Amino acid sequence: MKRHGLIGIIRCNHGLMTATKLIPDRLTKAPIDGVSTIIVQEVAHQSGAMICVSGQIQPLSSLLFLSESKNIVLSALDAGLTAI
């Protein structure tokens, strides 16, 4: 959350899912726009991880972070969030 101001809330421990809520302004908590969600998704995909952003929620399977691919996933998410 410190690295990417776009991350508003991180929800964990809901079964096998973790989710981040993407908001451009933490004070107003206005939802992220559709173009920005597409950019996050596309840049992450180009960086090696297929992720889904649904509205302002970015759900992730916790299993992604237990496997050997976690560095790829985290790097791709970083690239996607940095692109905004």
Side-chain angles (χ1 to χ4, degrees):
M1 288 178 65
K2 290 179 184 178
R3 182 177 175 103
H4 297 290
L6 198 58
I7 298 174
I9 299 170
I10 299 174
R11 305 229 184 228
C12 301
N13 300 325
H14 295 281
L16 294 175
M17 299 302 291
T18 297
T20 57
K21 184 175 182 180
L22 305 178
I23 55 175
D25 184 344
R26 289 186 183 168
L27 294 176
T28 65
K29 296 186 181 178
I32 191 171
D33 63 276
V35 173
S36 295
T37 60
I38 291 169
I39 292 170
V40 171
Q41 217 168 264
E42 285 299 314
V43 172
H45 185 255
Q46 292 168 5
S47 299
M50 185 180 283
I51 64 163
C52 171
V53 179
S54 177
Q56 67 187 81
I57 305 297
Q58 181 180 30
L60 298 166
S61 170
S62 298
L63 295 176
L64 290 173
F65 301 102
L66 298 176
S67 67
E68 293 178 10
S69 63
K70 69 181 173 193
N71 290 333
I72 295 169
V73 173
L74 291 173
S75 178
L77 287 172
D78 180 48
L81 293 170
T82 300
I84 301 298

